[in-house]
Amino acid sequence: MNASEIKAMAQGIMARHSESFGARLHHDANSVELTPQPMPAALRQEPAYLAALQACSALGFIAVDAETLAQAWQRQGERSGQFDATHWPDDSRDFGLSGADPTLAYASCPRALGLYGVLPTAEWVGRMARAGVPTVQLRFKSDDQAAVLREVKAAVAAVQGTGALLFINDHWQAALEAGAYGIHVGQEDLDIIAKADLETIRRSGTRFGVSTHGYAEMVRAHAVQPSYIALGAVFPTTLKKMATAPQGLSRLAAYVRLMQQYPLVAIGGISADLFPAVRATGVGSIAVVRALVNAPDPEATAQHLMERMQATT
């Protein structure tokens, strides 16, 4: 097959999927701005792979995600016996997500974690837990390990009797020592935490959540079989500098179709008015940060957001 035929295959993918996944500009407060990306060096020479690599790069997927999708598109064709430009890959087998040993998975957590408050201090954790927020995360930033341990222990104490599930961001040793329900880490932490320590966390029965920002990171997260996977940032956020562009609802929906074996948490710039659209993708939880801590009345806001969660089930 020559280059012009491969280009025609790529154009077929783009014609079918550009409306959903295409790189384009928006002009509203919740805009997701994506731009075409340089095509990475090809690792294979099959026509379907090359076409998908070209198309996904043009649709705005960064190099590692375009590569992951191109490999999946190739496997999809090998399974079906034909190239289908109309079907966006969403079969776990085509991404290498099948065949994991369930005995090596982390302890399970509810599929629907509900409203998930990401909070800066133990005081905030207790306040939102008492307000009825079902899942809370302590994201306490400090290099003072003694202060970290005190804050984590205070957070564990703060949720006692409330029914809230408490995850600790990053500080896994303190979380284990304090007996927290779960730990949440970013992708970079999977590089930092030694395999022996990951095994210690798994054997403890502590739940383990992992952040992801696209296809390649979801595949990587699956390799450790976490308790849940966070997907984001869905919309623009100024809370932290993101290495990847906001994902948008179409990508989020595609991620949910692929990763439905896990409890899923959507995060990133999700305001109350966007809850219905986000929940419609199938995620069981929406995480918020500023929506709670910057609210004039955080308890009332928490109640409103929980009602929005229920209204969209």
Side-chain angles (χ1 to χ4, degrees):
M1 187 171 289
N2 60 39
S4 63
E5 292 173 311
I6 292 172
K7 183 177 180 180
M9 292 168 66
Q11 290 174 336
I13 293 174
M14 294 171 64
R16 176 63 178 82
H17 302 287
S18 62
E19 184 174 347
S20 296
F21 299 103
R24 58 194 183 276
L25 297 180
H26 305 257
H27 302 285
D28 59 87
N30 299 306
S31 66
V32 173
E33 297 187 1
L34 302 168
T35 57
Q37 298 294 307
M39 191 176 84
L43 302 180
R44 307 176 62 156
Q45 293 303 312
E46 295 94 331
Y49 166 85
L50 292 172
L53 191 66
Q54 179 180 329
C56 292
S57 299
L59 290 174
F61 287 90
I62 62 174
V64 290
D65 290 337
E67 171 64 29
T68 303
L69 279 165
Q71 295 278 2
W73 223 300
Q74 176 63 32
R75 296 187 192 106
Q76 176 177 273
E78 291 170 354
R79 281 195 307 104
S80 64
Q82 63 179 354
F83 171 74
D84 183 1
T86 68
H87 186 81
W88 192 267
D90 58 8
D91 190 309
S92 62
R93 294 172 296 178
D94 298 331
F95 290 83
L97 301 180
S98 56
D101 184 350
T103 65
L104 298 180
Y106 284 86
S108 63
C109 64
R111 289 194 63 81
L113 287 164
L115 182 65
Y116 190 138
V118 181
L119 305 160
T121 65
E123 181 182 1
W124 269 105
V125 165
R127 187 174 176 181
M128 291 298 95
R130 291 189 297 274
V133 176
T135 307
V136 290
Q137 180 188 128
L138 174 66
R139 184 186 282 173
F140 180 69
K141 301 299 183 180
S142 175
D143 293 327
D144 183 339
Q145 294 307 306
V148 167
L149 183 56
R150 286 196 300 272
E151 199 72 17
V152 170
K153 287 182 175 180
V156 170
V159 301
Q160 295 301 310
T162 67
L165 306 179
L166 171 64
F167 288 86
I168 305 299
N169 184 275
D170 289 348
H171 305 298
W172 65 269
Q173 299 100 324
L176 292 184
E177 184 172 340
Y181 177 83
I183 296 162
H184 180 90
V185 301
Q187 287 282 315
E188 62 280 2
D189 297 299
L190 293 179
D191 291 326
I192 297 171
I193 303 176
K195 288 185 178 180
D197 293 328
L198 289 172
E199 178 64 10
T200 296
I201 298 169
R202 186 185 69 80
R203 289 184 178 277
S204 75
T206 306
R207 281 72 177 176
F208 191 67
V210 178
S211 292
T212 65
H213 308 89
Y215 281 102
E217 291 189 357
M218 289 188 294
V219 170
R220 187 180 184 214
H222 171 75
V224 300
Q225 300 185 81
S227 306
Y228 75 81
I229 291 177
L231 309 169
V234 181
F235 297 106
T237 176
T238 59
L239 186 66
K240 59 188 293 189
K241 183 174 177 59
M242 304 299 295
T244 55
Q247 302 297 295
L249 287 171
S250 293
R251 290 192 185 189
L252 177 63
Y255 299 161
V256 172
R257 290 195 300 272
L258 177 62
M259 306 303 292
Q260 57 188 288
Q261 68 196 90
Y262 289 99
L264 299 172
V265 179
I267 187 170
I270 305 172
S271 55
D273 62 306
L274 293 167
F275 271 41
V278 172
R279 287 282 285 126
T281 66
V283 294
S285 180
I286 295 176
V288 295
V289 186
R290 291 173 299 165
L292 292 176
V293 299
N294 290 350
D297 186 340
E299 284 78 7
T301 298
Q303 186 60 42
H304 174 62
L305 292 177
M306 287 186 286
E307 289 171 357
R308 295 293 282 172
M309 289 290 299
Q310 293 301 316
T312 55
T313 55

